[in-house]
């Protein structure tokens, strides 16, 4: 009977069913199996309300449909009324995080960085600085503003050398060789055509990246998409969430809020991977004060 749905629908429903079971596991006490299926209307409405702070209305609707499909496949009665469910969805949509209501910013993927690399000239000062800044920001899981504006107080960031053209060590070495920025200047200062050094501003960085992305046939990159893409890449590589948190220099609460804020963006890239269960369990876990 499961073949009645497309592979894409089954994937979304599967994620929804996992979210439902994590929600049931996290309740105090946990919901026993025999009360999860068939699930009472009260449980389904509570599930929908509890997830509203993490997921947008469209995602919640898919997740509830997934739980309903699970009932159908196993011949279990579905007791949640359409009117109550529709009302709950309207309420959940109002409670959904602002990030789920704005146009989503797709994460920067390695293929995007490689495409941009092919349309930059590593021998040109600006391009060398831009690419070194891009790879450093990505692999350091940092905010773009940390490397494109002057900071009165700096922070140590870390990355490991990578294989292939996205290696931040090689990009940084090339930038230093091409631009030789002054020790007292901006890290990614570059030589202008008039021979002077200029700091790499956010606007200059984004304009150059946008041009390279367009030449590659990709959409323009938004600054924060770099950090989202970095988090996604490390999660897909199997890095534990606590390690990603430390690498990106988040506090525990800040990292959890960050993942919840961007759950709608990250979940589709994770739902067919082993990382999806860890992601959902981490983002839906209870915290004191929640």
């Amino acid at each position: 009977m499961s073949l009645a749905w497309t592979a894409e629908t089954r994937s979304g429903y599967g994620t929804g069913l996992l979210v439902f079971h994590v929600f049931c596991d996290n309740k105090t006490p946990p919901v026993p199996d025999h009360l999860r299926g068939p699930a009472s209307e009260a449980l389904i409405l509570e599930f929908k309300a509890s997830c509203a702070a993490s997921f947008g209305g469209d995602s919640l609707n898919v997740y509830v449909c997934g739980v309903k499909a699970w009932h159908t496949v196993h011949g279990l009665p579905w007791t949640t009324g359409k009117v109550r469910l529709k009302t709950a969805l309207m309420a959940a949509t109002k409670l959904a995080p602002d990030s789920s209501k704005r146009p989503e910013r797709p994460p920067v993927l390695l293929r995007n960085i490689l495409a941009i690399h092919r349309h930059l000239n590593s021998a040109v000062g600006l391009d060398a600085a831009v690419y070194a800044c891009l790879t450093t920001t990505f692999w350091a899981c940092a905010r773009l503003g940390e490397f494109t504006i002057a900071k009165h107080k700096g922070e140590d960031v870390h990355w490991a050398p990578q294989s292939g053209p996205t290696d931040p060590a090689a990009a940084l070495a090339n930038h230093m060789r091409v631009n030789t920025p002054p020790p007292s200047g901006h890290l990614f200062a570059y030589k202008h055509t008039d021979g002077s050094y200029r700091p790499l501003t956010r606007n200059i960085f984004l304009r150059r990246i946008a041009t390279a992305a367009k030449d590659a046939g990709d959409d323009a990159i938004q600054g924060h998409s770099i950090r989202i893409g970095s988090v996604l890449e490390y999660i897909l590589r199997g890095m534990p969430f606590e390690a990603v948190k430390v690498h990106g220099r988040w506090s525990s609460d800040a990292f959890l809020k960050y993942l919840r804020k961007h759950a709608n963006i990250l979940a589709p890239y994770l739902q067919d991977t082993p990382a999806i269960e860890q992601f959902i369990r981490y983002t839906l876990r209870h915290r004191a004060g929640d």
Side-chain angles (χ1 to χ4, degrees), residues 52 57 88-98 101:
L89 177 60
M90 292 172 61
T93 300
K94 293 180 179 179
L95 292 172
D98 291 339
K101 301 173 185 177

Side-chain angles (χ1 to χ4, degrees), residues 134-147:
L134 173 61
T135 53
T136 290
T137 302
F138 183 88
W139 290 113
C141 203
R143 297 178 295 276
L144 177 60
E146 294 181 275
F147 295 111

Side-chain angles (χ1 to χ4, degrees), residues 6 17 19 52 94 105 155 158 178 189 197 225 231 243 267-268 277 282:
T6 66
L17 187 58
V19 173
K94 293 180 179 179
R105 298 176 180 179
E155 290 186 54
H158 306 276
V178 171
Y197 281 100
S225 298
V231 170
E277 181 170 355
Y282 194 92

Side-chain angles (χ1 to χ4, degrees), residues 252-253 256-257 260 284-290:
S252 294
D253 283 353
L256 192 55
K257 289 177 181 177
R260 287 175 171 175
L284 293 185
R285 72 183 185 182
H286 284 293
R287 297 174 302 165
D290 269 5

Side-chain angles (χ1 to χ4, degrees), residues 207-249:
R207 280 204 304 269
R208 186 65 189 95
I209 288 293
T211 300
K214 182 178 179 181
D215 292 341
D218 283 346
D219 294 331
I221 286 176
Q222 302 295 322
H224 194 67
S225 298
I226 300 171
R227 200 179 202 198
I228 299 171
S230 176
V231 170
L232 174 62
E233 179 63 25
Y234 282 121
I235 292 174
L236 288 174
R237 290 186 175 205
M239 180 183 281
F241 280 56
E242 289 298 312
V244 178
K245 179 196 73 178
V246 172
H247 186 59
R249 294 160 294 129

